[in-house]
């Protein structure tokens, strides 16, 4: 994923008028962790089940489909085992990224 496409989630959050600080306050996730999710730098998260939990919390906080964001995470972390994009319909996340 390139820098332009990951901006889709950040753009979505900003369009909704939601600050990272408000997400941090409501989820108890650190700004560093939230920034890692927005940038797609999942190596900065603690790993394992914590990553999926944090991604779900972030998605809910910005009113985004957590399934789509988790699919992106899985694709990013396990590209060899990910379902080919041609085998599944485009997610809302993918459509959002293509718009911006």
């Amino acid at each position: 994923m390139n820098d332009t496409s990951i901006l889709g989630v950040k753009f979505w959050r900003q369009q909704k008028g939601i600050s990272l600080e408000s997400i941090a306050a409501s989820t108890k996730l650190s700004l560093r962790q939230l920034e890692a999710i927005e940038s797609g730098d999942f190596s900065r998260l603690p790993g394992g089940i914590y990553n999926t939990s944090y991604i779900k919390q972030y998605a809910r906080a910005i009113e985004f489909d957590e399934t789509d964001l988790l699919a992106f995470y899985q694709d990013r972390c396990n590209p060899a085992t990910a379902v080919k994009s041609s085998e599944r319909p485009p997610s809302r996340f993918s459509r959002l990224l293509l718009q911006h």
Side-chain angles (χ1 to χ4, degrees), residues 18-30:
I18 303 169
S19 71
L20 284 180
E21 291 78 10
S22 68
I23 298 171
S26 68
T27 63
K28 306 301 182 213
L29 297 175
S30 71

Side-chain angles (χ1 to χ4, degrees), residues 86-100:
S86 61
E87 295 176 4
R88 69 172 175 235
S91 67
R92 188 166 93 183
F93 181 67
S94 298
R95 290 189 303 271
L96 175 69
L97 296 178
L98 293 173
Q99 293 174 355
H100 301 285

Side-chain angles (χ1 to χ4, degrees), residues 1 8 17 22-23 27 31 34 41 47-48 51 54-56 66 71-73 82 87 96:
M1 173 178 265
S22 68
I23 298 171
T27 63
L31 289 176
L34 295 170
D41 187 2
N51 287 13
Y54 293 177
I55 292 166
K56 286 179 184 181
E66 65 186 63
F72 167 73
Y73 165 71
E87 295 176 4
L96 175 69

Side-chain angles (χ1 to χ4, degrees), residues 10 15 32 38 44 46 55 61 65 67 73 82 85 91 95:
K10 184 176 181 178
Q15 288 298 107
R32 180 184 167 278
E38 280 193 346
R44 292 175 32 204
I55 292 166
D65 185 346
T67 305
Y73 165 71
S85 60
S91 67
R95 290 189 303 271

Side-chain angles (χ1 to χ4, degrees), residues 37 41-57 70 73 77:
I37 293 169
D41 187 2
F42 301 115
S43 65
R44 292 175 32 204
L45 297 178
I49 196 163
Y50 291 106
N51 287 13
T52 55
S53 175
Y54 293 177
I55 292 166
K56 286 179 184 181
Q57 289 179 65
L70 284 171
Y73 165 71
C77 294

